[in-house]
Amino acid sequence: MNNSVDFQTDPSNYRHWRVDYNGAIANVYMDVDDNGGLFDGYDLKLNSYDLGVDIELADIVERMRFEHPQIKVVVLQSGKDRVFCAGANIRMLGGASHSHKVNFCKFTNETRNALESAEADSGQKYIAAIKGACAGGGYELALACNYIMLTDDRNTSVSLPEVPLLAVLPGTGGLTRLTDKRKVRRDLADVFCSTEEGVKGKRAEQWRLVDEVITNSRFDQAVLERAGEFAAASDKSDVSEGIVLTKLDRTFENDGNIRYSTVDVEVDRASRKATITIRGPDSTPTNIESFIDEGANTYLLRLARELDDAILHLRLNELELGLLIFKSQGDHEKLVAHENLLLQNADHWLVNEVLQLWKRVLKRIDITSRSMIATIEHGSCFSGILAEILFAVDRSYMMKDEFEDDDRRIAHISLTDANFGMFPMANGLSRLQTRFLGDQNFLQAATALKAERLEADDAEKLGLVTMALDELDWDDELRIFMEERASFSPDAMTAMEANLRFAGPETMETRIFGRLTAWQNWIFNRPNAVGHKGALQRYGSGMRGKFDMERV
Amino acid sequence: MEDHVKVNYDTRIPNNVGLSSDRKVLRALEKWHPGFIDWWNQLIPPRYQQSMVYLRTAVSADSKGWAKFDYVKMPDYRWGVLLAPRQEDRTIPCGEHYGAPAWQEVPGEYRNMLKRLIVIQGDTEPASVEQQHLLALSAPSLYDMRNLFQVNVEESRHLWAMVYLLFKYFGRDGREEGEDLLRRSSGSEETPRLLGAFNEKTPDWLSFFMFTFCTDRDGKMQLESLAQSGFDPLSRTCRFMLTEEAHHMFVGENGVTRTIQATLEAMNRVNIDDPYDIDEIRSLGVIDLPTIQKKLNLHFSLSLDLFGQELSTNAANAFNAGIKGRYMESKLEDDHKLVDDTYTVKTVKNGKIVAEEVPALTAINMRLRDDYIRDAARGVKRWNTLIRRNGVQFEIKLPNEAFHRQIGVFKSVHADVDGDLIGKEEWDRNVSKWLPTSGDNDFIQSLMEPCYEPGRFASWIAPPRVGINNMPGEFDYVKLHMA
């Protein structure tokens, strides 16, 4: 595990954040440790952040949901004077490899989305309380909150100076949230995004950049009041205590393999692939009380956290493993029983949090820039919640008929309510809706067969798997597919898959990942930003970036 | 080479690839087999199906066992799957993987390229049988009829060989392609064969000889280059097929030789010196040399088209990937990569044919075509020796590569048989001197009377100097079924 980034942390290890919990209100203070950068070569001045800072924020947001369900309002503010947040650290970006920049942006975007959706999914409303400079990624962080309060001290402004200052985009959702979420008029957005110093005071409110502007002397009090009002108005049910998100049961082995309690990751570097095997539950709680007693040990929560960690690890620390193969092994019936318990108690706060987490993990899979397939082997347990993985990956292969010397139960899959809208993709549709966009008959046929045991021929006919293969074809077809995939350009694969995965309507989320991110990644490859005379490289040198003025 | 690689007859399909323990391929082939038999039965007139034909069958894949002669009814011919013995430590002979161990399994990254090559090769095999399926009705002798059938069963077995590769290595896709090989049909409007030359008719025996001389020689060159494949099963398959392909060349060259022989003998008999005294010569029931030249012009130019575009990225890719080599690749002495090499090709610039240096990788097709022309020229030389010995002033020539082309840089120009560029008018004025006219074809057709008596030969063709398997010319090569 040398030099690799660990996405697991806990409050005892935070270097950059503090959280105070007062009844239904939590105060999250961003107070970045200058010397706490994840890598060498930069100081995290002025509450600027790097991946390490964001990993802590993601942890805070996650634990807020599970460990502090009594919290209804979260106030996000700075722990420093005169600066809210200066955004992503520019020297870090200037020195980072292209792949790191891309991965960094993807993770920070996912964290912003998780924070933003906390209100709708978990009843936890985030307020950004801005005092002091709020620039770039700092304002994007505020944009992800559900309510933005700005002090009017004749100095504090919000700004997106990326374009004039750095020749890159506000790529953590900034451009998209301006227009899609806050519905800032496009010409004003244009002015705002090309004005380095940003906009302050009343004008920020008039332009819809913030929700409320308050005189500096009243600001703290107003924030307090507003938090209280929001908490009082919240329809989130009162929960006396949360559960503790215990440390993951996780072992890294020397060859890169990882063992979790429900997930195995096996790495094959020569073939540039990793196999992710999900184990079904050994047992399931019989009622909601025992489910709560299990806490972080309950199956689906463990699985979601472990799988999430595995995906993040592979994304950031295993750049050359271009193909992820999902498998499952386990007892169908036990999984179905577990799922039934959850679905029947879906309005219980903890069940809800587990299901919402599973939704986010599935979305994380959706936008993972690796070729992904699922192999549905004998003895597998792709039912309902796990079957969603089959519809998230690029292709699926299913074992058909018996295989010699294989006494595992014959491969089958089954659909449940989980597959029909409970876990929408970024485009707002279920994965099956997206899959069968062109033919509603398929969707109806699949709906009619809910809970049926579908073996390979049926699954193939229903369009639920890519190919059903018998024993004679299985090894060869898979080997050849994998070799072929490994020979293609990783860039072309990433781009092709990202295009094919998200059919259907655009949403703010798809626009962030599909449009904003794609353009940002283009800019990240262009000399005007990253060349040695580019703006990103020259930032802080006193020299302006030198641009090739040709429009492309 | 291992000693005497035995053919395994423990399934219905003779093979030396361990078919009985390869359930996957066996199942696919058994499913395909009835369709193949149907195809064969519908193609070859029933009378000949019932006849006993003195055929050569391979009983093993080495030099001793590949030629076993006996009477057999064609439907009982032992179609099978035979690969040349595996060479230990064979390496990839060309391209970027040069020197690495040859692939025993399909490399995934080249799967589609390989499949395409095998499908195209496989498509030509049944196509030629389809083109020739009515020729037996006008066979000039039982000896020739037997040779035709030998070619037919072997081309069909070559289809088996390609289908085996598709089934063994290309899974579901391969099985679909195997079915399609039976579904396409030469000359069909709906589902024609893949290559143009294989949708042309073979209306008469001189066409058949020219086809085997010219077009089967292209097949031979393609097989030669696939025999150099880094994908070892393909290489082994093609190496074994080449032993049979040589016989097809022989049938073609020998058939034309005997046609010329009959013409020369007839001319000498009545003391005609002038080979252009066409009416007189034709009245003797033989085919005049200028007409033979025209037939050669036609078939040779059509066959050159089979080599494709002069500059080809596909060919470059296949070579660089190591899945298709050059003719005699393993005997060539260069780096086998050709990354910085050039090759001289003829092209058309400003209305002139000029030589041009191009990157050798992209000129792989041209190089193979040049090897082909050299190979064909040797046969022509033997014909000319025969003509000279008989005291006739005539020389048969291969037409220039620019003549009568439908594919490549010469497609857009007119050239005469010597390769001089000419205008459309001049072409129209002279084309009847260079290519067979309908009158020529009618005349040839008029000679196509069957000759089914053992030891008898049609007027226009001489008996062979030596029979098959050292049997005499009057040997009963086909015991015709009398319905």
Side-chain angles (χ1 to χ4, degrees), chain B residues 75-300:
Chain B
D76 300 334
Y77 182 79
R78 287 168 157 177
W79 324 101
V81 180
L82 302 169
L83 271 58
R86 182 162 162 185
Q87 287 172 9
E88 290 303 313
D89 305 325
R90 186 167 173 264
T91 56
I92 295 167
C94 59
E96 64 172 287
H97 308 290
Y98 172 77
W103 294 296
Q104 299 303 327
E105 295 286 338
V106 174
E109 56 184 312
Y110 302 132
R111 174 195 212 192
N112 290 324
M113 207 194 285
L114 262 172
K115 192 181 72 185
R116 191 74 195 147
L117 285 176
I118 291 170
V119 166
I120 290 177
Q121 181 65 41
D123 196 64
T124 64
E125 312 290 358
S128 62
V129 183
E130 287 162 357
Q131 289 172 297
Q132 297 155 11
H133 79 289
L134 292 177
L135 282 178
L137 298 171
S138 60
S141 72
L142 293 178
Y143 166 86
D144 287 291
M145 185 191 284
R146 177 264 161 209
N147 284 350
L148 169 71
F149 290 153
Q150 182 74 50
V151 171
N152 287 168
V153 291
E154 282 172 359
E155 297 293 10
S156 302
R157 206 198 58 70
H158 292 177
L159 170 63
W160 275 81
M162 291 297 123
V163 165
Y164 165 75
L165 291 177
L166 288 171
F167 288 177
K168 169 87 180 164
Y169 297 102
F170 297 89
R172 198 192 260 206
D173 291 353
R175 292 197 291 274
E176 278 176 20
E177 296 287 4
E179 294 298 322
D180 284 348
L181 285 173
L182 292 179
R183 231 168 271 148
R184 282 188 294 269
S185 167
S186 176
S188 156
E189 287 274 317
E190 202 71 26
T191 51
R193 290 291 170 189
L194 298 175
L195 300 176
F198 289 89
N199 288 304
E200 302 283 335
K201 288 201 174 75
T202 308
D204 59 67
W205 277 78
L206 185 55
S207 299
F208 170 60
F209 293 143
M210 286 297 181
F211 182 94
T212 40
F213 182 79
C214 295
T215 306
D216 278 352
R217 191 179 308 277
D218 161 72
K220 169 183 142 181
M221 300 309 284
Q222 299 300 335
L223 286 178
E224 289 277 9
S225 60
L226 292 176
Q228 301 292 335
S229 178
F231 178 47
D232 204 40
L234 177 60
S235 165
R236 291 171 56 204
T237 305
C238 292
R239 269 182 274 150
F240 186 72
M241 288 161 72
L242 278 166
T243 59
E244 296 170 331
E245 207 68 22
H247 171 257
H248 307 179
M249 303 295 101
F250 160 79
V251 169
E253 184 182 331
N254 182 258
V256 177
T257 303
R258 289 161 51 222
T259 307
I260 295 172
Q261 175 90 36
T263 305
L264 295 170
E265 283 171 7
M267 286 167 69
N268 285 340
R269 223 167 24 241
V270 296
N271 293 320
I272 300 176
D273 292 335
D274 182 4
Y276 293 96
D277 198 353
I278 288 171
D279 292 342
E280 281 300 310
I281 294 170
R282 285 187 177 182
S283 71
L284 304 171
V286 294
I287 304 169
D288 52 283
L289 298 179
T291 299
I292 292 173
Q293 174 72 58
K294 285 197 248 181
K295 289 293 282 181
L296 177 65
N297 292 346
L298 174 69
H299 284 273
F300 188 73

Side-chain angles (χ1 to χ4, degrees), chain B residues 328-345:
Chain B
M328 306 290 223
E329 184 71 48
S330 49
K331 303 230 160 60
L332 296 174
E333 289 192 2
D334 56 20
D335 70 353
H336 301 281
K337 294 183 174 177
L338 306 181
V339 176
D340 299 316
D341 291 359
T342 60
Y343 190 77
T344 310
V345 302

Side-chain angles (χ1 to χ4, degrees), chain B residues 300-316:
Chain B
F300 188 73
S301 57
L302 285 175
S303 298
L304 290 185
D305 283 344
L306 289 171
F307 289 87
Q309 300 287 340
E310 283 80 359
L311 300 184
S312 161
T313 341
N314 283 344

Side-chain angles (χ1 to χ4, degrees), chain A residues 287-321:
Chain A
N287 53 43
I288 187 71
E289 285 72 30
S290 50
F291 174 84
I292 297 163
D293 287 345
E294 284 186 356
N297 266 326
T298 206
Y299 172 74
L300 187 57
L301 180 53
R302 254 189 307 144
L303 172 62
R305 294 178 68 208
E306 291 172 357
L307 187 55
D308 204 38
D309 185 68
I311 299 282
L312 288 169
H313 169 79
L314 289 169
R315 272 192 194 171
L316 205 97
N317 299 321
E318 295 283 3
L319 296 177
E320 293 199 358
L321 301 178

Side-chain angles (χ1 to χ4, degrees), chain A residues 468 470 472-473 477 479 483, chain B residues 24 27 106 108 172 175:
Chain A
D470 66 14
L472 301 183
D473 285 332
E477 290 284 345
R479 178 186 64 79
E483 285 183 13
Chain B
K24 169 174 143 179
R27 194 176 71 176
V106 174
R172 198 192 260 206
R175 292 197 291 274

